[in-house]
Amino acid sequence: MAPPDARARAAAAERLAALAVPAGALGRLGDLAVWLCATTGQVPPPDLRRTGEVRLVVFAGDHGVAAHGVSAYPASVTPAMVRTVAAGRAGVSALAAAHGVSVRVLDVAVDDDLSDLPGSVTARRVARGSGAIHVEDALPDEAVRTALALGRDVAREEVASGGRLLLGGDLGIGNTTPAAALVAATLGLPAEEVVGRGTGVDDAGLARKSEVVRTALDRSRGRHDDPVECLAALGSADLAATTGYLAEAAALGVPVLLDGLMSVACALLADRLAPGAAQWFAAGHRSTEPSQSLALEKLGLEPLLDLGLRLGEGSGAVAAVPLVRSAAALLRDTALLSEVLP
C-alpha cells in the first residue's frame, strides 16, 4: 500500500507553520489540514465543496443475532430504514443535505425483497441476512469474497463519479454485535471489554449481547488471524463490503472519513487486508460503543467529534465534514505571516 504523499505533507506542515496565526493556534484543525494535503497530494488542499466531491455509501444488511435479544429493535426496522434513506428522509439524509454530501444506499444483505426500490439499491445483493454468529458462521468464505469485491467495485465507482473524500455508513439491526466481535477478535480482547448497548438495550440485553459475543469468539477460536476467515465467522456481508470499500479507497489514494463502530471495525480489517490503509483514514466521531474507541486507539486515530451519537448510517462522519472543509479553508485562505508583517 502506497502511503500518502510525503512531499505534500511536508509542504503543508511548512505552510501551516508560516500562517499568520500563533504557533499551534489551529490545534487539530491544522493537523487535519496537513493530513488532507498528504492524502489528496495538494497544497493547499481542495475545498471539497463541489457537488459530488464528498460521497457517502451506506451498506445495509441484516444479522442473524438480531433474533437473539441483542437489539432494542426488531429486524423489520432494517428494510424500513433502507427505504427511508432511499427516500432521502433519514437522519443522515438531513445532515447530508445540509452539508452537500452525496448519499448512496446499497442493499448488501437485507432480509427483505425490497421490490419497491430501484435496482440501484437492490441489484447487487450478496445474501439475505447472515448467520447468528454464536451458533454458526455468518457467511461462507465465497460470500465474504463476493462482498469484499462488491465493496471494492463501489469505491471505484464513487471515485469515478468525482469522489475526493469518501465516507462509509452502516444500516442494519443487530450490527453492533458482529462489529464488536470483529474488534474483539482482531485485538484479542474479551467480550466484556467490547460490548456496548448499541441501539439502547437494557442491562439484561447487554448481558445477552456479551454472552453472544463471548460464545462467538470461543466458537471461532483459531480463525481470527485471517481477515477473510474472521469476517466469515463473525461478520456479515455488509461489513465485508464496507471492508472492501475502505481498502480500495486507500489503494486508490483517496482519503476516507470513518463513522462509528461498524466502519471503524471494518477499517481494522481493511488495514490487515491492505497494510498501511489506515494512513488514508480519519475518524469522524467517537460513538458510544466501547469497541469503537478501542479500535480507534489501535488505528492511531483521534475522532474529530464526540457528541454521544449512536445513530449510525454514516451520520457522525457527515457531521464532521464541515470540520474537514474548515481545515482546508484555513490552510488555503489564511494569510502568511510574511505577507502581513512590515
Side-chain angles (χ1 to χ4, degrees), residues 280-294:
W280 295 91
F281 304 154
H285 81 120
R286 188 183 302 281
S287 81
T288 59
E289 292 294 298
S291 49
Q292 195 233 18
S293 291
L294 293 165

Side-chain angles (χ1 to χ4, degrees), residues 110-121:
V110 179
D111 192 14
D112 187 289
D113 61 21
L114 296 175
S115 58
D116 53 312
L117 294 182
S120 58
V121 176

Side-chain angles (χ1 to χ4, degrees), residues 185 216-226 229-230 233-234 272:
L217 292 171
D218 289 342
R219 184 191 63 77
S220 60
R221 197 74 62 187
R223 301 170 64 192
H224 298 168
D225 290 340
D226 182 280
E229 279 286 301
C230 198
L234 299 171
R272 295 178 69 185

Side-chain angles (χ1 to χ4, degrees), residues 199-276:
T199 50
V201 294
D202 58 16
D203 289 346
L206 185 64
R208 285 192 297 273
K209 190 173 178 180
S210 294
E211 181 58 30
V212 164
V213 172
R214 186 183 308 112
T215 303
L217 292 171
D218 289 342
R219 184 191 63 77
S220 60
R221 197 74 62 187
R223 301 170 64 192
H224 298 168
D225 290 340
D226 182 280
V228 174
E229 279 286 301
C230 198
L231 283 163
L234 299 171
S236 62
D238 48 306
L239 294 176
T242 303
T243 300
Y245 173 78
L246 298 176
E248 185 65 14
L252 294 171
V254 176
V256 175
L257 195 54
L258 302 174
D259 186 49
L261 169 58
M262 275 55 68
S263 70
V264 173
C266 293
L268 276 178
L269 292 165
D271 195 55
R272 295 178 69 185
L273 279 172

Side-chain angles (χ1 to χ4, degrees), residues 60-73:
D62 278 305
H63 307 85
V65 291
H68 296 268
V70 300
S71 175
Y73 295 90

Side-chain angles (χ1 to χ4, degrees), residues 129-228:
S130 62
I133 59 173
H134 61 309
V135 296
E136 61 183 330
D137 278 3
L139 297 166
D141 279 7
E142 181 180 354
V144 173
R145 296 183 191 280
T146 299
L148 285 167
L150 169 62
R152 292 183 185 276
D153 287 346
V154 169
R156 288 192 289 269
E157 291 163 8
E158 294 301 295
V159 173
S161 296
R164 304 190 71 185
L165 176 66
L166 300 188
L167 286 59
D170 63 271
L171 204 166
I173 294 300
N175 60 6
T176 61
T177 299
L182 290 171
V183 172
T186 302
L187 301 185
L189 296 173
E192 292 74 16
E193 290 188 28
V194 300
V195 172
R197 294 185 183 272
T199 50
V201 294
D202 58 16
D203 289 346
L206 185 64
R208 285 192 297 273
K209 190 173 178 180
S210 294
E211 181 58 30
V212 164
V213 172
R214 186 183 308 112
T215 303
L217 292 171
D218 289 342
R219 184 191 63 77
S220 60
R221 197 74 62 187
R223 301 170 64 192
H224 298 168
D225 290 340
D226 182 280
V228 174

